[in-house]
Structure formats: C-alpha cells, structure tokens
Amino acid sequence: MYKAEARKIEIAHKRIDIVRDSLKAAKADLIEAKYFSLENNADAQEYFNYKTLDKDIVRIKEEVLALNHQEDGNPLVPYGKINGEKCIVNKIEVLNHRWLIAEFYAGDLRGEVLVKYFFNPEKPTTFDSIETVLYNKK
C-alpha cells in the first residue's frame, strides 16, 4: 500500500512538472506574440505621459470607434459602403506611439487597416490610413 501511494505521489509530481513546463512555454509564446505592442515597447511609451498612458490609449481607441458613426462608415477604411453596408471598426490594437491596427467589417466581409496616428493630449488625435486588407467571404 505504501509503494502504491508513493507511486501516485511520484506520478503527481511528474504531472506538476509537465504543467509547469507547459505554463513556461505558453508564457514565452505570449511574450513573443506581444513583442510588437505598446506595453512591451519602453521607447514608444516615453512618447506618452506615463501617468496617463492607459487613459490616453483608451482615448485613442474611443476616437477611432467614434468615427464609425459617420454616414458612410469609418473613414479610416477607404472602401466606403460595401454592398450597402458601411465599414465598422470593431477591434483596435495600438502597436506603438505612431501606429495602430484595426479590424473592420461590412456585412459578411471583414478586413484590417493599418493606421498612422498623432496623439496630442490637448487636441483630437489625427489618423491617416496606411494600408488595408480585405478578406474574401468564407
């Protein structure tokens, strides 16, 4: 009985080691995936006031989303209406102090737009679309 319990404990320790290794690998993958992000870019963060960085990023995203309410859709997406549907930005990732990427949709179609922006805490943020990708329907 003692040997059986010792074996169970040994197996449990091996499983714990496997889970720890998996967690380390997942953490490394996450760090690699977030390499091009504002949160991991100290140089880009210096452009912002560190005390208001989170609020500034929220403001930038809100300003992009506010553009969705225009009659022809979000002007950062250069397609206008597609099949009568206006292009709406629904997800935004701020890459650094100059670029953001946004996902958009228009009915069944979707795509991404790379945007250059200039943030000034005293004025509205200015946006300039750099490039877009429109994906085919599946």
Side-chain angles (χ1 to χ4, degrees):
M1 196 166 143
Y2 175 77
K3 286 183 180 179
E5 289 301 315
R7 180 72 180 141
K8 286 181 183 177
I9 291 172
E10 183 181 327
I11 290 171
H13 283 290
K14 286 182 181 178
R15 287 181 177 164
I16 290 170
D17 288 342
I18 290 169
V19 169
R20 281 187 181 140
D21 290 344
S22 295
L23 183 59
K24 285 179 186 175
K27 186 177 179 181
D29 288 346
L30 179 62
I31 289 170
E32 182 66 24
K34 298 288 269 173
Y35 181 80
F36 288 108
S37 69
L38 185 60
E39 69 186 57
N40 290 326
N41 188 335
D43 294 327
Q45 288 177 8
E46 287 181 12
Y47 180 80
F48 295 94
N49 180 336
Y50 74 94
K51 292 179 183 177
T52 61
L53 176 63
D54 292 337
K55 290 179 185 177
D56 295 341
I57 298 308
V58 167
R59 182 180 141 197
I60 291 166
K61 290 180 178 184
E62 286 174 349
E63 289 178 329
V64 171
L65 294 174
L67 296 172
N68 286 338
H69 300 292
Q70 295 190 13
E71 187 176 329
D72 289 331
N74 197 308
L76 296 176
V77 181
Y79 302 117
K81 290 186 177 181
I82 301 174
N83 299 327
E85 300 278 342
K86 63 183 190 175
C87 293
I88 303 293
V89 168
N90 64 326
K91 187 168 185 167
I92 304 158
E93 181 69 32
V94 177
L95 300 175
N96 58 30
H97 67 295
R98 284 288 179 253
W99 301 329
L100 63 85
I101 190 166
E103 181 186 56
F104 65 89
Y105 67 92
D108 292 339
L109 296 174
R110 63 182 187 85
E112 296 168 352
V113 59
L114 184 62
V115 177
K116 180 171 46 174
Y117 72 93
F118 293 98
F119 175 77
N120 181 337
E122 325 278 297
K123 300 177 183 175
T125 305
T126 60
F127 301 101
D128 189 22
S129 298
I130 299 172
E131 188 69 46
T132 58
V133 173
L134 187 62
Y135 296 109
N136 291 326
K137 289 184 193 180
K138 289 184 180 180

